[in-house]
Amino acid sequence: MEEAFAKLDIRKPENIVYKRTDLLVDRPLSYCPGCGHGVANRILMETIEEMGIQDKTIGISPVGCSVLAYDFMNIDMLGAAHGRAPALATAIKRLWPDHFVFTYQGDGDLAAIGTAETIHACNRGENITIIFINNAIYGMTGGQMAPTTLEGMRTATCPYGRDVKIMGNPLKITELISQLPGTYFVTRQSVHTPVNARRAKKAIRMAMENQKLNKGVSFVEIVSNCNSGWKMTPNQANKWMEENMFPFYPLGDLKVDGKLVEKK
Amino acid sequence: MAKVKGDIVINIERCKGCEVCMTACPFHVIAMAKEVNSKGYHYAVKVNNDCTGCTNCAVVCPDGVITVYRAKTE
């Protein structure tokens, strides 16, 4: 069926405008269908390819779905204990200041188990990049409640919805760390539409470039879906995310060049 | 006026049938096949000739299965 609409005359190598980057290992990604991790992995690898720093980049993936990243990223990767990626990144960056170091963490990892490491690494102003995938749930372990789970949102461990009187309020860790003097660039993006994915890629590019300036932590939050954990189809999950996640986690830059961006 | 025409090639064995590309395409070029691939997913297929090579589908594809070609024709 597909062959009927093939335009063979333009299928030539010189006409390629987009193809999967070679920095992703040539094997199927083991994320669920429609998961934002796939796009996040790819735009991160595209950024590194465009900057030409494949041999000087060290990635750290701790526990959660983000741990799978080291199977797919064709660069030097290290696995960290749960939540401890910023601490490991600190050590690597201090030992190899000319290398580019990034951590790739989920919300259960960065905002729950690794809160202390994250906040202290950001407060010390380590010259690293933190990529934070926020899907408001513990995806890998079966959809339990995370600190970032929205009020009233149903998960496996709060089947009647998150009750803030018992379970506390959702944690806006990105706003929290943007107040710290050690952060240089803090932004929140998403990857569910082409325009958002392109913006997120620009933000990641800026975050990696900032490591040359030696000014502090660059922090990129990517609000993502977890269609398996939310029990939705990918397109439903993206729509739900736009309607429910974005009002609470508004997209945009929070801190650029070390200065807080004023909200209009 | 120069016209732009585009084409996409989908790696159907890697496609997981999430349908995100289908909503991202402004010209409704992509639909899901009735057939399934070896993993059992209804893979994405090209169903018309309106592709302009805008790369929207390839950018949002979580598995990076889409390669986009674009050429100008007189």
Side-chain angles (χ1 to χ4, degrees), chain A residues 24-25 27 29-30 61 67-74 77:
Chain A
L24 278 177
V25 178
R27 67 167 75 134
L29 301 178
S30 52
S61 56
V67 74
L68 301 166
Y70 65 60
D71 271 348
F72 311 127
M73 295 183 180
N74 198 4
M77 297 288 288

Side-chain angles (χ1 to χ4, degrees), chain A residues 5 7 9-12 15-18 20 26-27 29 31 34-35 38-39 42 193-194 197-198 234-235, chain B residues 5-9 14 16 18-19 23 46-47 49 54-56 58-64 67-70:
Chain A
F5 300 106
K7 297 174 198 162
D9 54 324
I10 64 164
R11 282 191 189 173
K12 294 172 191 155
N15 288 340
I16 289 181
V17 283
Y18 198 96
R20 187 184 149 116
D26 190 22
R27 67 167 75 134
L29 301 178
Y31 303 117
C35 177
V39 186
R42 185 159 41 81
T193 62
R198 289 188 178 110
N235 280 328
Chain B
K5 68 176 182 174
D7 196 10
I8 53 169
V9 176
R14 292 278 172 85
K16 291 177 185 162
C18 67
E19 303 183 5
T23 45
K46 204 178 158 202
V47 291
N49 267 327
C54 68
T55 72
N56 275 7
V59 169
V60 289
C61 177
D63 297 277
T67 307
V68 185
Y69 298 85
R70 183 167 54 205

Side-chain angles (χ1 to χ4, degrees), chain A residues 144-156:
Chain A
Q144 289 84 1
M145 189 181 78
T148 46
T149 299
L150 302 174
E151 184 183 350
M153 184 175 161
R154 288 162 191 238
T155 69

